[in-house]
Amino acid sequence: TITPDSRSAGMGDVGVALFSPDANSGCWNNANLLNAEKSSGFSISYAPWLRQLVDDVGFSYLSGYQKVGKRGVISGSFRYFSLGNIQFTDFEGAPQGSFNPNEFAFDAGYALGFTKQLSMGVNLRYIYSNIVGSGIRNGIDYNAATSIAGDISLLYKTEMRIGGKKRKFNLGMNIQNIG
């Protein structure tokens, strides 16, 4: 749920129906990538996380897209979240080593335009979460977690006359992390 781009974060996480989509739009609504001005694009970002509390936690994001044909777009992204260095202790507080927990996700997506107004997109996501490392700690056997999830997104563009002027509207929907 961490916003990967400052533009959408600055607008209250409303990237689902942007009028000028960019390479980060695959995170919010893959179907909107069909409306991107350029035929391809990429984005890379890094954000320190909770930097007032710790200096080694951060979120990195890499995304891109490529239009294929007149009505298709392929996209992909990689998210990486480093949770810094964690010091482990036993029940009495004795040191038991340290670990650098992290999580990442790979996305692959495709969007298709049915008409000039209606498009649909799908993403498939592989998720890896390694919060405590592998091994036995305090008698509990820990392993990294993996999962697969998907997104389904729709975008409908229309124009209406309001007050005698043409107004453009984008209506977007994204159901995320199905799985």
Side-chain angles (χ1 to χ4, degrees), residues 26-28 30 79 105-110 120-127 147-153 174-179:
C27 170
W28 300 103
N30 207 34
R79 305 170 203 220
F106 287 104
D107 287 17
Y110 183 75
M120 178 180 178
V122 294
N123 279 335
L124 183 60
R125 177 172 303 112
Y126 171 77
I127 303 166
S147 186
I148 295 176
D151 306 339
I152 298 173
S153 57
N174 187 5
I175 302 171
Q176 287 188 312
N177 294 321
I178 302 166

Side-chain angles (χ1 to χ4, degrees), residues 3 8 66:
T3 303
S8 292
Q66 173 68 51

Side-chain angles (χ1 to χ4, degrees), residues 24-75:
N24 295 308
S25 294
C27 170
W28 300 103
N29 188 337
N30 207 34
N32 201 7
L33 286 173
L34 288 161
N35 299 312
E37 291 180 18
K38 298 182 179 180
S39 62
S40 64
F42 77 96
S43 174
I44 187 168
S45 62
Y46 173 78
W49 200 250
L50 302 173
R51 67 178 178 220
Q52 291 82 8
L53 299 175
V54 293
D55 63 358
D56 61 349
V57 177
F59 178 75
S60 302
Y61 184 70
L62 172 67
S63 63
Y65 72 93
Q66 173 68 51
K67 291 185 179 182
V68 289
K70 292 185 180 184
R71 299 185 320 166
V73 174
I74 57 172
S75 63

